[in-house]
Amino acid sequence: MRGIDTDICTQNYRAFLSFVLRVSFAETHQLGWDPTILRVVSDGQVQYDITVHPCCSDPLTYRTLALITDSGAFDLLGRGTRVWKAVRIVNGEETGAPVVLKDAWVDSDREREGDIHWRLLHSDYFEREHPELKEHFIAVEVHGDAMLMGSADCTPCSFRGPSNAHVRSKSQTHYRIVYSEIGESLRNITSLRTIF
């Protein structure tokens, strides 16, 4: 074959075949499909039923009502954070007052936001010395790692250092936390008096 490097063709063929076989036999969650989020249409509006897996109790489902923010969801490197106004679903029916549901990817080796919140509010400082300060914290309703096939939804991440020689790997875990109160973002408030 004149003008064609057969080694390059063979490498490209093998890479392409490998890709096709991997995609063909992969589980849906391995292709990026999240079975813990279901798309539903209610009154012509697209919403999502999102399952939250608390560590020591049964999973809970929340239906999104409105997107609060997804400003961190489209960064190439980041947490992929989305925050929704949502309501709990029990037996297919909306139950209770609206809540805030935060969905993000966190470093696997870091303490979870809900655990930090609980530890802080149950510290001696808050319990004995200043219990009145608890009312200034938003209450956590439930939190936990997203679960796929019986284990936490994790993904490895690799980063190259400035010299491009050192590779540092870490993993991230898909995490969700539900707050029982809905606040207003400070960036939406125009009155300094209200902010202070």
Side-chain angles (χ1 to χ4, degrees):
M1 297 184 0
R2 186 186 295 170
I4 298 176
D5 186 342
T6 55
D7 287 339
I8 292 175
C9 289
T10 304
Q11 288 173 353
N12 288 341
Y13 168 76
R14 286 184 179 154
F16 176 72
L17 184 59
S18 175
F19 171 77
V20 169
L21 288 173
R22 289 173 192 264
V23 169
S24 298
F25 293 102
E27 299 284 341
T28 54
H29 71 274
Q30 293 171 319
L31 296 173
W33 187 264
D34 187 347
T36 65
I37 299 179
L38 299 175
R39 182 180 184 265
V40 294
V41 178
S42 177
D43 297 328
Q45 180 183 3
V46 174
Q47 297 170 300
Y48 300 96
D49 284 356
I50 300 175
T51 303
V52 179
H53 298 88
C55 98
C56 298
S57 61
D58 292 335
L60 303 173
T61 301
Y62 292 85
R63 179 165 294 158
T64 62
L65 301 174
L67 181 68
I68 294 174
T69 184
D70 64 353
S71 61
F74 302 106
D75 296 338
L76 185 58
L77 294 174
R79 308 257 179 243
T81 303
R82 286 185 170 88
V83 181
W84 286 279
K85 178 180 178 183
V87 66
R88 183 152 175 231
I89 298 294
V90 177
N91 298 324
E93 299 292 325
E94 296 181 2
T95 305
V99 296
V100 171
L101 189 151
K102 178 180 174 183
D103 179 272
W105 288 85
V106 299
D107 292 344
S108 297
D109 59 351
R110 296 252 174 117
E111 188 175 8
R112 303 297 187 255
E113 187 174 332
D115 294 331
I116 294 169
H117 186 274
W118 187 92
R119 192 167 40 84
L120 181 66
L121 292 182
H122 291 85
S123 67
D124 285 342
Y125 183 80
F126 282 94
E127 289 285 336
R128 293 191 180 106
E129 297 177 37
H130 296 286
E132 72 281 0
L133 293 179
K134 285 186 179 184
E135 70 184 60
H136 298 289
F137 283 79
I138 297 174
V140 173
E141 185 168 302
V142 67
H143 73 102
D145 295 343
M147 303 296 283
L148 292 178
M149 312 288 282
S151 60
D153 183 14
C154 295
T155 183
C157 298
S158 297
F159 299 97
R160 294 197 181 273
S163 65
N164 213 18
H166 173 70
V167 176
R168 180 171 57 99
S169 295
K170 63 178 180 175
S171 68
Q172 289 187 320
T173 301
H174 198 176
Y175 175 73
R176 296 183 177 130
I177 185 167
V178 177
Y179 291 99
S180 56
E181 302 169 59
I182 301 174
E184 187 172 351
S185 175
L186 287 177
R187 69 177 172 197
N188 297 335
I189 299 174
T190 56
S191 165
L192 285 176
R193 181 180 197 161
T194 304
I195 290 174
F196 286 115

